mmCIF file of all heavy atoms in Angstrom:
data_model
loop_
_atom_site.group_PDB
_atom_site.id
_atom_site.type_symbol
_atom_site.label_atom_id
_atom_site.label_comp_id
_atom_site.label_asym_id
_atom_site.label_seq_id
_atom_site.Cartn_x
_atom_site.Cartn_y
_atom_site.Cartn_z
ATOM 1 N N GLY A 74 88.357 19.600 26.209
ATOM 2 C CA GLY A 74 88.216 19.578 24.708
ATOM 3 C C GLY A 74 88.175 21.041 24.240
ATOM 4 O O GLY A 74 88.274 21.968 25.066
ATOM 5 N N PHE A 75 87.931 21.244 22.956
ATOM 6 C CA PHE A 75 87.892 22.563 22.409
ATOM 7 C C PHE A 75 86.517 22.839 21.826
ATOM 8 O O PHE A 75 85.970 22.005 21.076
ATOM 9 C CB PHE A 75 88.987 22.749 21.330
ATOM 10 C CG PHE A 75 90.361 22.656 21.870
ATOM 11 C CD1 PHE A 75 91.106 21.531 21.816
ATOM 12 C CD2 PHE A 75 90.906 23.763 22.556
ATOM 13 C CE1 PHE A 75 92.381 21.389 22.273
ATOM 14 C CE2 PHE A 75 92.232 23.671 23.062
ATOM 15 C CZ PHE A 75 92.939 22.509 22.933
ATOM 16 N N LEU A 76 85.983 24.007 22.105
ATOM 17 C CA LEU A 76 84.690 24.452 21.596
ATOM 18 C C LEU A 76 84.959 25.535 20.576
ATOM 19 O O LEU A 76 85.453 26.607 20.966
ATOM 20 C CB LEU A 76 83.792 24.968 22.761
ATOM 21 C CG LEU A 76 82.452 25.574 22.326
ATOM 22 C CD1 LEU A 76 81.550 24.459 21.758
ATOM 23 C CD2 LEU A 76 81.798 26.227 23.472
ATOM 24 N N PRO A 77 84.697 25.298 19.281
ATOM 25 C CA PRO A 77 84.897 26.337 18.283
ATOM 26 C C PRO A 77 83.871 27.450 18.505
ATOM 27 O O PRO A 77 82.679 27.201 18.700
ATOM 28 C CB PRO A 77 84.583 25.651 16.973
ATOM 29 C CG PRO A 77 84.628 24.205 17.256
ATOM 30 C CD PRO A 77 84.300 24.023 18.697
ATOM 31 N N LEU A 78 84.330 28.714 18.565
ATOM 32 C CA LEU A 78 83.482 29.816 18.827
ATOM 33 C C LEU A 78 82.986 30.452 17.547
ATOM 34 O O LEU A 78 83.717 30.565 16.534
ATOM 35 C CB LEU A 78 84.205 30.868 19.614
ATOM 36 C CG LEU A 78 84.773 30.405 21.002
ATOM 37 C CD1 LEU A 78 85.591 31.546 21.702
ATOM 38 C CD2 LEU A 78 83.666 29.864 21.880
ATOM 39 N N GLY A 79 81.717 30.849 17.524
ATOM 40 C CA GLY A 79 81.165 31.495 16.372
ATOM 41 C C GLY A 79 79.716 31.855 16.571
ATOM 42 O O GLY A 79 79.151 31.499 17.632
ATOM 43 N N GLY A 80 79.056 32.467 15.612
ATOM 44 C CA GLY A 80 77.693 32.881 15.716
ATOM 45 C C GLY A 80 76.656 31.758 15.683
ATOM 46 O O GLY A 80 75.502 32.021 15.954
ATOM 47 N N GLU A 81 77.097 30.540 15.385
ATOM 48 C CA GLU A 81 76.134 29.425 15.299
ATOM 49 C C GLU A 81 76.066 28.609 16.595
ATOM 50 O O GLU A 81 75.431 27.542 16.635
ATOM 51 C CB GLU A 81 76.473 28.523 14.135
ATOM 52 C CG GLU A 81 77.792 27.767 14.302
ATOM 53 C CD GLU A 81 79.025 28.594 13.899
ATOM 54 O OE1 GLU A 81 78.938 29.658 13.375
ATOM 55 O OE2 GLU A 81 80.097 28.123 14.205
ATOM 56 N N LEU A 82 76.667 29.065 17.705
ATOM 57 C CA LEU A 82 76.573 28.352 18.959
ATOM 58 C C LEU A 82 75.146 28.347 19.490
ATOM 59 O O LEU A 82 74.427 29.342 19.374
ATOM 60 C CB LEU A 82 77.457 29.029 20.016
ATOM 61 C CG LEU A 82 78.965 28.945 19.828
ATOM 62 C CD1 LEU A 82 79.689 29.727 20.911
ATOM 63 C CD2 LEU A 82 79.451 27.489 19.831
ATOM 64 N N SER A 83 74.805 27.204 20.058
ATOM 65 C CA SER A 83 73.466 27.090 20.678
ATOM 66 C C SER A 83 73.489 27.884 22.045
ATOM 67 O O SER A 83 74.580 28.131 22.603
ATOM 68 C CB SER A 83 73.117 25.634 20.933
ATOM 69 O OG SER A 83 73.931 25.104 21.987
ATOM 70 N N PRO A 84 72.323 28.146 22.646
ATOM 71 C CA PRO A 84 72.327 28.806 23.961
ATOM 72 C C PRO A 84 73.073 27.961 25.036
ATOM 73 O O PRO A 84 73.758 28.515 25.868
ATOM 74 C CB PRO A 84 70.855 28.896 24.261
ATOM 75 C CG PRO A 84 70.179 29.047 22.930
ATOM 76 C CD PRO A 84 70.953 28.088 22.020
ATOM 77 N N ALA A 85 72.938 26.641 24.945
ATOM 78 C CA ALA A 85 73.621 25.779 25.925
ATOM 79 C C ALA A 85 75.148 25.827 25.736
ATOM 80 O O ALA A 85 75.910 25.758 26.695
ATOM 81 C CB ALA A 85 73.112 24.355 25.797
ATOM 82 N N GLU A 86 75.609 25.956 24.447
ATOM 83 C CA GLU A 86 77.065 26.047 24.225
ATOM 84 C C GLU A 86 77.585 27.407 24.662
ATOM 85 O O GLU A 86 78.721 27.466 25.207
ATOM 86 C CB GLU A 86 77.373 25.843 22.695
ATOM 87 C CG GLU A 86 77.193 24.440 22.231
ATOM 88 C CD GLU A 86 77.263 24.306 20.756
ATOM 89 O OE1 GLU A 86 76.831 25.219 20.016
ATOM 90 O OE2 GLU A 86 77.766 23.224 20.307
ATOM 91 N N VAL A 87 76.783 28.476 24.528
ATOM 92 C CA VAL A 87 77.204 29.780 25.061
ATOM 93 C C VAL A 87 77.271 29.673 26.589
ATOM 94 O O VAL A 87 78.237 30.178 27.209
ATOM 95 C CB VAL A 87 76.217 30.872 24.609
ATOM 96 C CG1 VAL A 87 76.520 32.204 25.353
ATOM 97 C CG2 VAL A 87 76.252 31.106 23.101
ATOM 98 N N GLY A 88 76.298 29.019 27.209
ATOM 99 C CA GLY A 88 76.346 28.809 28.684
ATOM 100 C C GLY A 88 77.567 28.053 29.097
ATOM 101 O O GLY A 88 78.180 28.401 30.103
ATOM 102 N N ALA A 89 77.963 27.037 28.311
ATOM 103 C CA ALA A 89 79.137 26.221 28.666
ATOM 104 C C ALA A 89 80.389 27.113 28.503
ATOM 105 O O ALA A 89 81.338 26.994 29.353
ATOM 106 C CB ALA A 89 79.216 25.012 27.753
ATOM 107 N N ALA A 90 80.463 27.968 27.517
ATOM 108 C CA ALA A 90 81.574 28.792 27.295
ATOM 109 C C ALA A 90 81.751 29.766 28.427
ATOM 110 O O ALA A 90 82.827 29.987 29.003
ATOM 111 C CB ALA A 90 81.502 29.566 25.972
ATOM 112 N N ILE A 91 80.661 30.426 28.846
ATOM 113 C CA ILE A 91 80.691 31.406 29.963
ATOM 114 C C ILE A 91 81.074 30.701 31.275
ATOM 115 O O ILE A 91 81.865 31.214 32.017
ATOM 116 C CB ILE A 91 79.330 32.120 30.113
ATOM 117 C CG1 ILE A 91 79.025 32.960 28.872
ATOM 118 C CG2 ILE A 91 79.298 32.989 31.356
ATOM 119 C CD1 ILE A 91 79.997 34.017 28.540
ATOM 120 N N ALA A 92 80.493 29.465 31.512
ATOM 121 C CA ALA A 92 80.838 28.750 32.705
ATOM 122 C C ALA A 92 82.330 28.398 32.731
ATOM 123 O O ALA A 92 82.975 28.446 33.797
ATOM 124 C CB ALA A 92 79.962 27.493 32.823
ATOM 125 N N SER A 93 82.836 28.028 31.566
ATOM 126 C CA SER A 93 84.280 27.693 31.501
ATOM 127 C C SER A 93 85.170 28.868 31.759
ATOM 128 O O SER A 93 86.144 28.782 32.463
ATOM 129 C CB SER A 93 84.575 27.036 30.107
ATOM 130 O OG SER A 93 85.898 26.642 30.038
ATOM 131 N N ILE A 94 84.827 30.024 31.177
ATOM 132 C CA ILE A 94 85.643 31.246 31.378
ATOM 133 C C ILE A 94 85.587 31.628 32.853
ATOM 134 O O ILE A 94 86.583 31.978 33.468
ATOM 135 C CB ILE A 94 85.136 32.373 30.453
ATOM 136 C CG1 ILE A 94 85.466 31.993 28.985
ATOM 137 C CG2 ILE A 94 85.770 33.652 30.857
ATOM 138 C CD1 ILE A 94 84.811 32.908 27.974
ATOM 139 N N ALA A 95 84.378 31.683 33.413
ATOM 140 C CA ALA A 95 84.200 32.054 34.838
ATOM 141 C C ALA A 95 84.909 31.076 35.741
ATOM 142 O O ALA A 95 85.568 31.508 36.704
ATOM 143 C CB ALA A 95 82.715 32.166 35.179
ATOM 144 N N GLY A 96 84.827 29.803 35.444
ATOM 145 C CA GLY A 96 85.501 28.788 36.249
ATOM 146 C C GLY A 96 87.025 28.928 36.207
ATOM 147 O O GLY A 96 87.721 28.798 37.200
ATOM 148 N N PHE A 97 87.553 29.252 35.058
ATOM 149 C CA PHE A 97 88.969 29.414 34.813
ATOM 150 C C PHE A 97 89.461 30.646 35.666
ATOM 151 O O PHE A 97 90.577 30.627 36.142
ATOM 152 C CB PHE A 97 89.350 29.596 33.350
ATOM 153 C CG PHE A 97 90.782 29.773 33.093
ATOM 154 C CD1 PHE A 97 91.642 28.725 33.170
ATOM 155 C CD2 PHE A 97 91.233 30.978 32.806
ATOM 156 C CE1 PHE A 97 93.013 28.866 32.924
ATOM 157 C CE2 PHE A 97 92.632 31.202 32.532
ATOM 158 C CZ PHE A 97 93.504 30.121 32.627
ATOM 159 N N ASN A 98 88.652 31.670 35.704
ATOM 160 C CA ASN A 98 89.066 32.937 36.381
ATOM 161 C C ASN A 98 88.717 32.927 37.868
ATOM 162 O O ASN A 98 88.918 33.897 38.537
ATOM 163 C CB ASN A 98 88.443 34.094 35.705
ATOM 164 C CG ASN A 98 89.068 34.369 34.376
ATOM 165 O OD1 ASN A 98 90.226 34.483 34.243
ATOM 166 N ND2 ASN A 98 88.223 34.516 33.305
ATOM 167 N N ASP A 99 88.201 31.809 38.389
ATOM 168 C CA ASP A 99 87.773 31.764 39.813
ATOM 169 C C ASP A 99 89.032 31.686 40.670
ATOM 170 O O ASP A 99 89.833 30.808 40.588
ATOM 171 C CB ASP A 99 86.947 30.532 40.045
ATOM 172 C CG ASP A 99 86.417 30.470 41.484
ATOM 173 O OD1 ASP A 99 86.278 31.470 42.102
ATOM 174 O OD2 ASP A 99 86.134 29.320 41.928
ATOM 175 N N SER A 100 89.235 32.716 41.528
ATOM 176 C CA SER A 100 90.417 32.753 42.342
ATOM 177 C C SER A 100 90.093 33.581 43.602
ATOM 178 O O SER A 100 89.384 34.565 43.573
ATOM 179 C CB SER A 100 91.568 33.430 41.590
ATOM 180 O OG SER A 100 92.639 33.600 42.389
ATOM 181 N N ASP A 101 90.690 33.139 44.680
ATOM 182 C CA ASP A 101 90.591 33.884 45.973
ATOM 183 C C ASP A 101 91.910 34.551 46.322
ATOM 184 O O ASP A 101 92.235 34.803 47.452
ATOM 185 C CB ASP A 101 90.163 32.963 47.063
ATOM 186 C CG ASP A 101 88.667 32.712 47.063
ATOM 187 O OD1 ASP A 101 87.945 33.537 46.599
ATOM 188 O OD2 ASP A 101 88.284 31.575 47.479
ATOM 189 N N LEU A 102 92.759 34.851 45.296
ATOM 190 C CA LEU A 102 94.088 35.378 45.561
ATOM 191 C C LEU A 102 94.055 36.870 45.973
ATOM 192 O O LEU A 102 95.002 37.335 46.544
ATOM 193 C CB LEU A 102 95.014 35.178 44.358
ATOM 194 C CG LEU A 102 95.231 33.743 43.956
ATOM 195 C CD1 LEU A 102 96.082 33.630 42.693
ATOM 196 C CD2 LEU A 102 95.909 32.973 45.085
ATOM 197 N N ASP A 103 92.970 37.533 45.673
ATOM 198 C CA ASP A 103 92.856 38.962 45.974
ATOM 199 C C ASP A 103 92.396 39.140 47.411
ATOM 200 O O ASP A 103 91.185 39.163 47.650
ATOM 201 C CB ASP A 103 91.947 39.636 44.958
ATOM 202 C CG ASP A 103 91.901 41.155 45.168
ATOM 203 O OD1 ASP A 103 92.787 41.665 45.898
ATOM 204 O OD2 ASP A 103 90.990 41.773 44.597
ATOM 205 N N GLU A 104 93.326 39.281 48.371
ATOM 206 C CA GLU A 104 92.954 39.373 49.730
ATOM 207 C C GLU A 104 92.373 40.757 50.079
ATOM 208 O O GLU A 104 91.673 40.928 51.084
ATOM 209 C CB GLU A 104 94.187 39.087 50.592
ATOM 210 C CG GLU A 104 94.666 37.706 50.513
ATOM 211 C CD GLU A 104 95.961 37.439 51.276
ATOM 212 O OE1 GLU A 104 96.425 38.369 51.951
ATOM 213 O OE2 GLU A 104 96.504 36.347 51.157
ATOM 214 N N ASP A 105 92.630 41.749 49.224
ATOM 215 C CA ASP A 105 92.124 43.102 49.493
ATOM 216 C C ASP A 105 90.717 43.294 48.926
ATOM 217 O O ASP A 105 90.066 44.308 49.223
ATOM 218 C CB ASP A 105 93.049 44.162 48.845
ATOM 219 C CG ASP A 105 94.461 44.121 49.460
ATOM 220 O OD1 ASP A 105 94.560 43.756 50.654
ATOM 221 O OD2 ASP A 105 95.384 44.420 48.765
ATOM 222 N N GLY A 106 90.205 42.331 48.123
ATOM 223 C CA GLY A 106 88.886 42.497 47.574
ATOM 224 C C GLY A 106 87.762 42.074 48.522
ATOM 225 O O GLY A 106 88.048 41.649 49.679
ATOM 226 N N PRO A 107 86.532 42.181 48.043
ATOM 227 C CA PRO A 107 85.399 41.807 48.933
ATOM 228 C C PRO A 107 85.363 40.286 49.153
ATOM 229 O O PRO A 107 85.871 39.565 48.306
ATOM 230 C CB PRO A 107 84.167 42.251 48.102
ATOM 231 C CG PRO A 107 84.666 42.326 46.694
ATOM 232 C CD PRO A 107 86.122 42.656 46.754
ATOM 233 N N PRO A 108 84.739 39.883 50.237
ATOM 234 C CA PRO A 108 84.717 38.415 50.492
ATOM 235 C C PRO A 108 83.743 37.740 49.499
ATOM 236 O O PRO A 108 82.870 38.387 48.916
ATOM 237 C CB PRO A 108 84.137 38.361 51.917
ATOM 238 C CG PRO A 108 83.383 39.641 52.101
ATOM 239 C CD PRO A 108 84.154 40.656 51.308
ATOM 240 N N ARG A 109 83.941 36.478 49.335
ATOM 241 C CA ARG A 109 83.125 35.658 48.417
ATOM 242 C C ARG A 109 81.680 35.605 48.955
ATOM 243 O O ARG A 109 81.457 35.293 50.077
ATOM 244 C CB ARG A 109 83.655 34.265 48.271
ATOM 245 C CG ARG A 109 82.922 33.395 47.297
ATOM 246 C CD ARG A 109 83.586 32.042 47.165
ATOM 247 N NE ARG A 109 84.903 32.129 46.551
ATOM 248 C CZ ARG A 109 85.102 32.119 45.226
ATOM 249 N NH1 ARG A 109 84.092 31.966 44.408
ATOM 250 N NH2 ARG A 109 86.343 32.182 44.735
ATOM 251 N N PRO A 110 80.650 35.912 48.131
ATOM 252 C CA PRO A 110 79.264 35.847 48.544
ATOM 253 C C PRO A 110 78.821 34.420 48.879
ATOM 254 O O PRO A 110 79.370 33.471 48.345
ATOM 255 C CB PRO A 110 78.468 36.354 47.328
ATOM 256 C CG PRO A 110 79.459 37.116 46.501
ATOM 257 C CD PRO A 110 80.767 36.415 46.747
ATOM 258 N N ALA A 111 77.786 34.228 49.696
ATOM 259 C CA ALA A 111 77.286 32.947 50.110
ATOM 260 C C ALA A 111 76.379 32.330 49.002
ATOM 261 O O ALA A 111 76.354 31.091 48.883
ATOM 262 C CB ALA A 111 76.526 33.045 51.406
ATOM 263 N N ASP A 112 75.696 33.114 48.241
ATOM 264 C CA ASP A 112 74.825 32.638 47.153
ATOM 265 C C ASP A 112 75.646 31.876 46.095
ATOM 266 O O ASP A 112 76.660 32.357 45.690
ATOM 267 C CB ASP A 112 74.074 33.850 46.532
ATOM 268 C CG ASP A 112 73.336 33.448 45.261
ATOM 269 O OD1 ASP A 112 72.448 32.556 45.378
ATOM 270 O OD2 ASP A 112 73.627 34.085 44.234
ATOM 271 N N PRO A 113 75.254 30.640 45.692
ATOM 272 C CA PRO A 113 76.069 29.881 44.775
ATOM 273 C C PRO A 113 76.363 30.580 43.486
ATOM 274 O O PRO A 113 77.526 30.556 42.986
ATOM 275 C CB PRO A 113 75.201 28.621 44.496
ATOM 276 C CG PRO A 113 74.336 28.489 45.707
ATOM 277 C CD PRO A 113 74.073 29.937 46.138
ATOM 278 N N LEU A 114 75.386 31.222 42.847
ATOM 279 C CA LEU A 114 75.617 31.915 41.585
ATOM 280 C C LEU A 114 76.577 33.072 41.742
ATOM 281 O O LEU A 114 77.551 33.248 41.053
ATOM 282 C CB LEU A 114 74.343 32.340 40.969
ATOM 283 C CG LEU A 114 74.452 33.113 39.599
ATOM 284 C CD1 LEU A 114 75.175 32.279 38.585
ATOM 285 C CD2 LEU A 114 73.057 33.548 39.100
#
């Protein structure tokens, strides 16, 4: 779905937006970069 962005977002909506952006950018395609850490966060 779509989350409208603006200054009236709740803290949980900001958390959902950050999680969505980070999840979208999650990739292991960079073989030259550092290995993925073991800690979940």
Side-chain angles (χ1 to χ4, degrees):
F75 295 100
L76 177 66
L78 302 177
E81 66 279 350
L82 290 177
S83 71
E86 288 172 325
V87 171
I91 297 299
S93 183
I94 292 168
F97 180 76
N98 289 309
D99 184 25
S100 174
D101 281 331
L102 298 178
D103 185 13
E104 295 175 5
D105 296 331
R109 184 176 293 271
D112 172 56
L114 178 58

